[in-house]
Amino acid sequence: MQSCSAAGIRSKLSVSSSFQSVLDRIATEIAATPGRGRPADYIPVLASADPQRFGMAVAELDGTVYGVGDWQHPFSTQSITKVFTLALCLSREGEELWEHVGREPSGNPFNSLVQLEYEAGIPRNPFINAGALVVTDRLQALTGTAADTLRTFLRTESGNAGLDFNEQVATSEAAHSDRNAALAHFMASYGNIRTPVPLLLDQYIRQCSLDASCADLARAAGFLARHGILADGSSLLTRSQAKQINAVMLTCGTYDAAGDFAHRVGLPGKSGVGGGIIAVVPGRCTICVWSPGLDERGNSVAGVAALDRFTTLTGLSVF
C-alpha cells in the first residue's frame, strides 16, 4: 500500500514539472465555469472590475515564472500586501511582534470590532484589518515610512521597478475608511497603536492600494517558498519565521473562510478583495491567481477554484 501511494505522488509531481500545461488546462476549465461572483463594491473604484477576467502565474524557486490569461495585468493587491508587511516587520522586530497581535483565526468578518473589546485591544491575527493596522503601526515606527518600505521591497523581489500605488484606489479607500479609523482609535485607547491615527490610516491605505500583477506577486512571495531567503540569496527571515507566516496564512489568510480554503486547496494562502490570492508550496513554488468576482466571504470565486484544481492536478500540497 505504501509503495503504491508513493508512486502516485511521484506521478503527480512529474506532472507539476510542466506548470504551463497545468495552467493552460486550468484556464480552459475556469472559462467554462459559470458564476464568477461579484467585485467588491464597498470600495467604489473596485466595483467596476470585470469578474470574467482571469490570470494565474506560478513562480519556481529560481524566479522562473509561468502564466496564463491576464497574468501580467496589474490589479489592486489590497489585503495580499499584509503578508509582505508582516514579513518586513517580523524580520526587524522578531518575537516581540506577537505580543501585540495574535495568531488565531478570528471567525468574524475582517473588519469586525467585536473581538477587540473583550480581548483588550489585541487583534486575533495580522490579516484581519485590526491586526494589519497593528503591524503597519509597528513597521511605521521601525522605518518611518511603512508604505514606501513595502513598495521598495515588492519592486525588488518582483523585479518590476514600476510597481506603484494606485492613487485613485487610495483616494476611494480613504473616503470610506471610517471602520478602520474606529479600529485604530479603539486599539490606541489600549496602548496598542503608537502612530497618530490619521498617519497610520494613510500608510495602511497606501499599502493596500498597490497595483501588481500575478507575475509580480508570485515572484515577490518566493521567499516564503525558499524558507525566508530572498531572490538575491540573502536572508529576510529565519526558517522558523517563514514557517510562522505560512502557518498564519493557512489558518487565517482567507478571512473567515480559511477552514474551507485549507480543505479545498491545502496550501498557505492570502486573498485580497481586489480578487487576487497568493499561495505557497514550501520548497517548491509560489502561485498567484486573480479574478475580481468575489464570494460572500470576500475571496475570488474563480481564484479559489483555480487553486483547487492546481493542487489536484499537481499533487502539490502541504498535506
Side-chain angles (χ1 to χ4, degrees), residues 10-294:
R10 284 195 296 272
S11 174
K12 285 192 172 184
L13 289 178
S14 67
V15 173
S16 76
S17 64
S18 179
F19 283 129
Q20 191 60 58
S21 63
V22 171
L23 294 177
D24 290 340
R25 177 172 173 179
I26 291 171
T28 299
E29 293 180 6
I30 293 297
T33 302
R36 296 286 189 91
R38 298 175 57 186
D41 57 9
Y42 70 95
I43 302 172
V45 74
L46 299 182
S48 61
D50 180 1
Q52 297 304 309
R53 300 199 75 159
F54 174 82
M56 190 171 185
V58 177
E60 295 187 305
L61 299 184
D62 65 359
T64 301
V65 181
Y66 307 85
V68 70
D70 297 311
W71 67 292
Q72 293 178 303
H73 181 79
F75 62 89
S76 188
T77 55
Q78 294 296 312
S79 288
I80 291 175
T81 60
K82 295 174 182 177
V83 171
F84 302 102
T85 305
L86 175 62
L88 290 168
C89 191
L90 186 61
S91 71
R92 289 164 167 82
E93 194 170 20
E95 291 300 303
E96 184 181 346
L97 172 63
W98 301 118
E99 297 176 12
H100 302 274
V101 62
R103 290 164 291 191
E104 295 292 338
S106 70
N108 285 309
F110 59 85
N111 60 355
S112 174
L113 282 155
V114 174
Q115 287 174 326
L116 279 177
E117 184 167 11
Y118 61 80
E119 294 184 349
I122 304 295
R124 275 290 180 99
N125 67 70
F127 296 149
I128 56 175
N129 287 15
L133 284 163
V134 168
V135 175
T136 300
D137 168 64
R138 303 194 72 77
L139 186 61
Q140 178 69 17
L142 289 163
T143 66
T145 174
D148 286 345
T149 299
L150 173 64
R151 177 176 60 178
T152 298
F153 176 81
L154 289 177
R155 284 177 171 179
T156 300
E157 290 304 295
S158 70
N160 178 5
L163 189 153
D164 212 345
F165 307 112
N166 185 317
E167 297 299 338
Q168 185 181 10
V169 171
T171 299
S172 182
E173 289 200 53
H176 298 81
S177 61
D178 291 342
R179 179 64 67 93
N180 286 332
L183 291 167
H185 281 295
F186 191 83
M187 290 186 293
S189 75
Y190 281 95
N192 203 24
I193 292 291
R194 299 169 292 180
T195 307
V197 170
L199 175 59
L200 174 60
L201 291 175
D202 173 73
Q203 292 295 298
Y204 175 74
I205 289 167
R206 288 181 70 76
Q207 78 175 43
C208 291
S209 77
L210 281 161
D211 278 349
S213 69
C214 292
D216 294 333
L217 292 171
R219 284 195 189 99
F223 69 95
L224 291 171
R226 294 188 294 266
H227 308 296
I229 304 300
L230 297 173
D232 65 2
S234 63
S235 177
L236 175 70
L237 303 170
T238 66
R239 190 181 185 97
S240 176
Q241 288 171 332
K243 180 188 72 174
Q244 289 174 14
I245 292 178
N246 281 327
V248 177
M249 288 173 67
L250 181 68
T251 58
C252 309
T254 46
Y255 309 120
D256 52 339
D260 183 63
F261 185 83
H263 176 81
R264 290 185 63 183
V265 176
L267 293 175
K270 181 71 194 84
S271 60
V273 296
I277 307 173
I278 59 170
V280 181
V281 185
R284 187 65 178 88
C285 65
T286 47
I287 310 143
C288 182
V289 61
W290 171 65
S291 187
L294 309 179

